Amino acid sequence: MTGTILGDPERHGFDPARLTAIDTLLRDRYVASGRLPNAQLLIARDGEIVHFSHQGLAREGGAPIDESSLFRIASMTKPITSIAFMMLVEQGLVALDTPVHHVLPEFKGIGVYNGGGAGVPFAVKPTGEPMRMIDLLRHTSGLTYGFQNRSNVDAAYREGKIENWHGNLDLDGFIGALGALPLEFSPGTSWNYSVATDVLGAVIERIAGVKLDTFFTTRIFVPLKMDDTFFQVPADKVDRLTDCYTVAPGKGRTMLDRGEKSAWSRPPTLLSGGGGLVSTALDYHRFCRMCLNGGTLDGARIIGRKTLELMTQNHLPGGADLATLSQSLFSEAANAGTGFGLGFAITIDPAKSMIAGSKGEYYWGGMFSTAFFIDPVERLSMVFMTQVSPSSLYPIRRELKTMIYAAMT
């Protein structure tokens, strides 16, 4: 294990011994036990790194992870895609209440599931309201994920293999396949974690007239100097890509994607705005700093301050939380006291969440157990990296958040 403290924890309002205790927990409970292959934790306040630690191996039998290690961030891609869309809103090219089918005509006339499936054609009924762009951002679109295994609609997603980033469908083909399937519910009436942010990526492509990876690179990554964030790992950086694992019942931890032969070293067929990016903790820290600074970093303005304020408010209908509105069996967030903004989960009531934090804090994570949060009240941010799925295996995100806030003096 290598633990690195950068900056002066006491000056930034932290107890150094309590920060060290977090690394001890990661080592003893997760890395040494084999639950996680590695663990990297970056804590910053006012944009300055206070604590940055690395432990575990990057690859089986290889060197330890370090600050240059590359991780598949999966759904931590979603906030970046959401920021990209809102950049187009700021240009007057689209609005939050724009019907999705105005940009993606494949969605025109899409209906709501009303019976059928499993070899029987779907029956559909009209939506109460059209799906709007805001529904894609806050996951109230009626779309779903195939891996939820909870309905005939998500079964159709699996049968069509439409969520395979390295499969047969490109982004346009993906939209066409989705447009031929019914929604699980009428847009705006419930919350369900879904492929909505991938659809948002297609919206960005159609409006901007460039591929999603090009838009991200030219409009976000280059200005923010996020030089190690991409959909495809360049050949000269593949040696930095970590191994990725999954845990299956009765089988334990098994290799999902080997770093040296990774699928992420090849061009993806589907540019997934919902989950396709690879990044480093330091790069994602720059994204967090930009957000904490109100949309700007080192002289580069990515998005307006008021736009970011809008994105980090709870946009669930009626001011509800996820415990009230969610239909999802899978979520990257605990439900009580949690709202959803435009690309982020939002803490709206720390007491209901039963965990220390601040009202207005926003966050998300990825299926390989990565996570981040940004607390504008305390000027605090965290990036956590590892590589094992599913993300629901261990309560590590809750433990990290509890211990980080407990270390504040």
Side-chain angles (χ1 to χ4, degrees), residues 5-179:
I5 303 247
L6 300 178
D8 184 345
E10 292 177 312
R11 179 170 64 88
H12 288 287
F14 284 94
D15 182 331
R18 289 194 167 207
L19 290 178
T20 301
I22 305 175
D23 290 335
T24 302
L25 176 131
L26 288 171
R27 180 193 67 204
D28 295 346
R29 184 172 296 176
Y30 290 105
V31 178
S33 68
R35 288 187 175 96
L36 296 180
N38 45 51
Q40 188 171 73
L41 177 65
L42 189 158
I43 302 167
R45 199 165 194 192
D46 289 314
E48 292 187 33
I49 297 175
V50 177
H51 181 92
F52 190 19
S53 64
H54 332 275
Q55 48 189 307
L57 301 181
R59 295 182 178 178
E60 282 187 349
I65 59 169
D66 60 27
E67 65 180 32
S68 71
S69 296
L70 292 164
F71 299 87
R72 302 153 192 81
I73 63 171
S75 287
M76 281 167 59
T77 305
K78 288 181 169 70
I80 295 174
T81 305
S82 301
I83 289 280
F85 173 81
M86 294 304 292
M87 293 167 76
L88 299 178
V89 171
E90 288 189 329
Q91 291 179 250
L93 299 175
V94 66
L96 289 176
D97 61 354
T98 299
V100 175
H101 72 266
H102 285 190
V103 178
L104 304 177
E106 296 93 330
F107 277 35
K108 186 173 179 60
I110 196 168
V112 177
Y113 176 78
N114 196 32
V120 179
F122 288 117
V124 298
K125 58 185 177 182
T127 61
E129 293 287 337
M131 184 194 303
R132 303 183 190 277
M133 298 301 173
I134 191 172
D135 293 310
L136 298 177
L137 287 150
R138 66 185 182 183
H139 292 287
T140 56
S141 64
L143 297 163
T144 189
Y145 265 127
F147 56 72
Q148 295 206 53
N149 295 302
R150 49 180 287 278
S151 72
N152 286 334
V153 177
D154 65 50
Y157 281 38
R158 293 193 300 277
E159 290 167 11
K161 299 180 180 179
I162 62 176
E163 296 167 33
N164 190 341
W165 304 335
H166 303 95
N168 298 318
L169 295 177
D170 62 10
L171 197 47
D172 286 337
F174 169 80
I175 295 300
L178 281 179

Side-chain angles (χ1 to χ4, degrees), residues 252-267:
R253 200 180 82 195
T254 59
M255 186 70 70
L256 176 69
D257 184 66
R258 198 173 293 278
E260 63 182 347
K261 299 179 180 178
S262 175
W264 277 262
S265 68
R266 302 187 294 274

Side-chain angles (χ1 to χ4, degrees), residues 315-354:
H315 285 264
L316 295 182
D321 66 3
L322 294 181
T324 304
L325 208 62
S326 175
Q327 290 195 6
S328 184
L329 296 181
F330 172 86
S331 171
E332 294 290 356
N335 286 339
T338 300
F340 212 87
L342 306 181
F344 309 88
I346 313 292
T347 299
I348 55 177
D349 190 335
K352 286 185 178 179
S353 74
M354 296 186 289

Side-chain angles (χ1 to χ4, degrees), residues 77-87 204 212-227 229 277 283 286-287 290 297 300-303:
T77 305
K78 288 181 169 70
I80 295 174
T81 305
S82 301
I83 289 280
F85 173 81
M86 294 304 292
M87 293 167 76
I204 293 166
L212 190 64
D213 53 355
T214 300
F215 189 95
F216 280 5
T217 299
T218 58
R219 299 288 298 274
I220 299 175
F221 300 153
V222 169
L224 289 182
K225 298 182 175 62
M226 293 174 64
D227 301 326
T229 305
L277 288 175
D283 261 22
R286 291 190 66 80
F287 178 76
M290 178 274 294
L297 181 65
R301 168 67 66 183
I302 302 299
I303 199 161

